[in-house]
């Protein structure tokens, strides 16, 4: 069965992203075509990238990197739950992405953004990063507004109309994750033959 990681992209104290990630998980967990797990980057204590060798070499020397790599390698695709800070994703999420390379390759990604403009600019920047990491991003995304989906900008109360784009994004993500799994298998066979 396809495994999807729901990656919480904020480590900020008092973050509202935890409620968003839980909402995504609770909605996704009702599906029978994939299994879903929450992945909180805060649990990995990643400092600013401190590996001496570029991640593309796959020579992880730090224990925190090895734990992070093992966790990310488990999945076929990801939902990135991202805040938008100053028209971009959080530094913590970008740092977590930058730690690894092969673990992201030939996998699919979907997005749930939140912020004053629905996190859309953060998602657009993440799409560029994903391209470099050889990830396929799905078109549909969820854009949650601090003004209409959070009471007093802090208590998450998503409007019901967000469930349809979430369902569509998950449909696309599961299908693309399945397709990318075969791409990874083909790539592995080609590498093995050469």
């Amino acid at each position: 069965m396809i495994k999807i990681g729901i990656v919480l992209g904020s480590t900020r104290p008092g973050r509202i992203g935890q409620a968003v990630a839980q909402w995504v998980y609770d909605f996704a967990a009702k599906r029978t075509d994939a299994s879903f797990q929450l992945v909180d980057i805060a649990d990995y204590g990643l400092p600013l990238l401190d590996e001496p060798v570029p991640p593309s070499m796959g020579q992880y020397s730090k224990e925190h990197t090895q734990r992070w790599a093992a966790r990310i390698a488990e999945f076929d695709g990801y939902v990135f739950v991202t805040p938008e800070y100053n028209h971009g994703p959080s530094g913590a999420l970008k740092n977590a992405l930058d730690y690894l390379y092969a673990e992201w390759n030939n996998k699919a990604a979907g997005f749930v953004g939140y912020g004053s403009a629905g996190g859309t600019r953060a998602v657009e920047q993440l799409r560029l990063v994903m391209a470099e990491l050889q990830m396929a991003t799905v078109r549909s995304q969820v854009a949650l507004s601090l003004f209409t989906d959070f009471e007093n900008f802090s208590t998450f109360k998503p409007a019901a109309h967000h469930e349809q784009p979430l369902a569509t994004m998950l449909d696309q993500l599961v299908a693309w994750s399945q397709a990318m799994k075969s791409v990874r298998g083909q790539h592995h066979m080609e590498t093995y033959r050469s």
Side-chain angles (χ1 to χ4, degrees):
M1 181 178 280
I2 292 294
K3 287 182 68 174
I4 305 291
I6 300 168
V7 181
L8 174 50
S10 171
T11 58
R12 190 176 187 169
R15 62 193 172 166
I16 57 179
Q18 220 163 356
V20 177
Q22 188 65 51
W23 172 73
V24 173
Y25 174 79
D26 291 343
F27 187 88
K30 297 172 190 165
R31 298 175 68 103
T32 58
D33 55 354
S35 66
F36 297 85
Q37 294 179 18
L38 288 169
V39 180
D40 187 345
I41 61 176
D43 292 341
Y44 293 85
L46 299 170
L48 286 177
L49 185 56
D50 64 349
E51 286 287 346
V53 177
S56 59
M57 302 299 290
Q59 299 172 13
Y60 307 137
S61 64
K62 310 286 186 187
E63 188 272 338
H64 52 260
T65 312
Q66 293 164 1
R67 280 190 332 112
W68 178 237
R71 182 66 167 142
I72 293 306
E74 294 177 20
F75 299 104
D76 300 298
Y78 311 91
V79 175
F80 290 95
V81 176
T82 181
E84 183 173 305
Y85 301 153
N86 300 314
H87 291 205
S90 70
L93 178 53
K94 178 64 166 71
N95 186 55
L97 289 165
D98 289 344
Y99 257 94
L100 309 177
Y101 185 69
E103 293 77 9
W104 301 119
N105 290 177
N106 296 316
K107 295 183 181 178
F111 303 97
V112 174
Y114 60 94
S116 59
T120 55
R121 295 165 296 204
V123 168
E124 289 307 305
Q125 286 189 27
L126 286 171
R127 289 182 187 280
L128 295 173
V129 174
M130 300 301 164
E132 182 61 23
L133 293 171
Q134 299 186 55
M135 295 179 77
T137 62
V138 301
R139 180 184 180 274
S140 291
Q141 66 189 56
V142 179
L144 301 164
S145 170
L146 288 176
F147 298 102
T148 57
D149 296 304
F150 295 86
E151 192 174 89
N152 298 318
F153 300 100
S154 59
T155 304
F156 185 48
K157 296 196 173 178
H161 68 83
H162 291 299
E163 290 187 1
Q164 184 54 56
L166 178 57
T168 301
M169 182 270 289
L170 291 171
D171 287 345
Q172 293 175 359
L173 180 62
V174 170
W176 285 36
S177 295
Q178 185 67 51
M180 295 306 288
K181 192 172 189 176
S182 65
V183 170
R184 287 194 311 280
Q186 181 64 32
H187 178 74
H188 177 74
M189 290 304 294
E190 290 169 3
T191 303
Y192 181 73
R193 273 185 246 147
S194 32

